[in-house]
Amino acid sequence: MSRKLMVLALLALAVTCIALFTLGKEETVDFSADVKPILNKHCITCHGGVKKNGGLSFLFENEAFARAESGRPAIIPGDAEHSEFMKRLLSDDPELRMPYNAPKLNDEEINILKRWIDQGAKWGEHWAYTLPKEVDVPKPFTFAGLFGIKPKGVNNNIDYFVQAKLKTKDLTRADEADRSTLLRRLYLDLIGIPPTLAETHAFIEDERDDAYSRRVDSLLASSKYGEKWASWWLDMARYADTKGYEKDGSRHIWPYRDWVIKALNKDMPYDEFTIEQLAGDLLPQPTKDQLIATAFHRNTMNNDEGGTDSEEFRMAAVLDRLNTSYQVWLSTTFECVQCHSHTYDPFKFEEYYKSLAFFNNTRDEDTQGDHPKLRFYTAEDEKRIDSIKHWLAANADGNAVKSADLFLYTLEPKIHAHYSDKITDGALYDTKWLGVRNGGSARLKAIALDGKKQLFMNFWTDVAGGKMEIHLDAAQGPLLAHVDLPKTAGRQVIQAPILSTAGTHDLYLVFKNPAVAAGQPICMIEWFAFRKDFPSGTATEHQHFQRTFLQLVNLQPESVPVMIENPKDMQRKTNVFLRGNRLTLGEEVQPMVPESLNDFPKGAPRNRMGFAQWIVSKENPLTARTLVNRVWAQLFGSGLVEPLGDMGTQSTAPIHRELLDYLALDLMNEKKWSMKKLVREIVLSGTYRQASTRNDENVQKDPENHYFARGPRFRLSAEQIRDQALAVSGLLSNKMYGPSVMPYQPDGVWMTVYSGESWVKSEGEDQYRRAVYTFLKRTSPYPSFVSFDASSREVCLVDRIRTNTPLQALATLNDPVYLEAAKHLGDIMALEGKGDTKKSISAGYRRAMLKEADPKKIADLEQLYQKAVLEFRKTPAAAAKYVGEDLNKADSKTLSSRAAYMLVANALLNLDEFLTKS
């Protein structure tokens, strides 16, 4: 018995010791979650980024523990009492206490900082800059689970994560939405337009267990899927049909929009989707589609206004590409680092320009012609190109074939006229084109001439007899070429031989033509190209293929701006811009990515291709998280982390970090970067399928629905609102792809300077095409889209705001597009009701909302109809004007009724439940 008592006593003592140890152990302070937010809020303004008052900065670890101006470190790890940092926080002297000239930190904040220092002042990394780790799915144990039975509302692993969070807040999940609501939500989310009544009825009556997943799969396979999700991507790609800035001329870039739709429809893996847009031209043998994909970064604005500095705006485009790339793929506010190290995140000033170096070697130079462009030839001309390439392959090496192919399809590499300098008796006209008078000259500096025996020049002149001489290294230097300048009918490319010369030299161009009037340039030049000679072959073959080559170059086929990398002899240096000013250059830098993120891939080239590979590396902590977060936001209205554009230390602490990391890892490893599979898993979850009804108790605990205790409910996008109105009225066109269209727009909205371009209303079904095809002018976007918070696409936009303004109601009540939709819907109502007003209105509501209306709504709408009929009978001219028909030709018996149904239909298209996804 005594032995038993001794064992029990020892066990009791052990339990007591463990309890005392556990209770007495102080909770470890988390730097990222607890300390960093305090430093960012109170300290970093004066001690980090631009300012380092007292020689102290809390931006980087080495700076925080370095010796300050006092000669001592402000923080002594393990000793808060003797750390000057804590002394300043606790001081009663207003001249010494920190933060200076600001309220004192509260007791909780001071306690956190004191405990952190006493625990060793461990400097942690922000969660988003560390790789996501394997996450265990929080599946609670249940006996039913042993038999494969899932808890109510759990359809996949997403639901386990969400329900675990709901439990911590004592929240209850909503029931599943009714079938018509759920199907409408699914259609709007996956293809952007609602289902038909027939599709809704079929789903309601479908009793198969997989009825819902069957609809999901059919919608993901629909070609309309790409049209819906393209609008989301084009906001980030800042896609528009004009170049921007004051002149804002039209740009032929719609093939890129079509490429996005097709890529999304075929579920191109996100890593390929990324690489082709950032560096498709650098793939071993890029296809036309892969070159079109690079127009992602040709969506940058281009300034065609006279008198502008092309290099200034070329650099503005390069900066935009860098900032956009970090924003789109990494949710990073990297633009903050252009002038100084990031104030809140671990990115250093010099690292900005090292990343910039990846983008600083493309051939585009803010030219009026928007070069380089991919040229689209006819089938007949493609055959002529093939014949040239076959001949070159037989008579020269592979480099000659590749060079000819590149030049014929992109006219690259070439040297733009604004590159010339030392101009005598001439000028760069409109800062774009070189024009030199009789006897004048200009220089092309540092031209690599090894193996170059041909000059191609794009120019125009209205006077015959002109000559251009090319001299080596000086205006009176050795003569390399003598070029005749014939009179042209518009712009023309000519070809002339030059003497073989080795090395890199300055070339001086001397112009002569006494017949030109005094003070007038002999010609205007847009660009030059120095190329290797065609192989000799037979004289007849040489002349034939040379002539064919020049004829093809002089064609003006349709084209789209693309990215092309500089050849080695045209590579640019990249320097730091001191304080962000491009005119004040610092040290030269080489391409490299920030140290705080993943390493640059081994063996990857130091160009855009290597940068793209770094972006989609599984070692990159941000790319997969960013995509998951933004796809989630498209479906739920808010992301798992907010804001969508910043996962840095200024973002809100993620409630659902485990779910985010689980989905990110699953996307990369199991789903192989499939965006459709990601969307599918989310919309199959019980969390997505919840009703959006507001439980009063849940709303009080979680008004913003951060914990997803109910389904999504928010206003549709500008594009969806228009497309839905056209769809329910039977007007929406199914035509896909092609040039952007111009549906109705009020006169005077589109004010165009210089070009004389105007908004020409599209005819036929083009005026009823989906909103993604609407022509977008940056300085004057489509009015009803802007009213509903669509982007002008001047810069990258990752998250549209949602407002509620009177202009929105005015648009849907009065815009002719919505009136046309209302007229057609009203006619359908009258036809289906067969003279019964109540049945007609019920039919219209059913068609718009995909469910039956409660009697009160029908009564209200019927009352509206009766009042409208009386008014229109009194004023038949107003009825005819409203319906859009000639009073003399309209059927007077039905005119007032038709106008009244149109009015009721307009009211239906303006109901909150119609404009909202719920």
Side-chain angles (χ1 to χ4, degrees), residues 637-670:
S638 60
L640 296 168
V641 180
E642 290 285 337
L644 297 184
D646 186 4
M647 276 195 187
T649 61
Q650 289 299 90
S651 63
T652 57
I655 295 171
H656 301 277
R657 177 180 165 187
E658 296 83 2
L659 174 57
L660 179 70
D661 285 353
Y662 166 80
L663 290 173
L665 289 168
D666 184 62
L667 173 69
M668 292 186 289
N669 300 321
E670 302 302 323

Side-chain angles (χ1 to χ4, degrees), residues 469-481 499 506-510:
E469 296 175 352
I470 303 178
H471 294 265
L472 193 67
D473 294 324
Q476 291 78 37
L479 183 66
L480 289 187
L499 293 178
D506 292 345
L507 300 182
Y508 284 80
L509 315 176
V510 180

Side-chain angles (χ1 to χ4, degrees), residues 348 826 918:
K348 299 177 181 177
S918 60

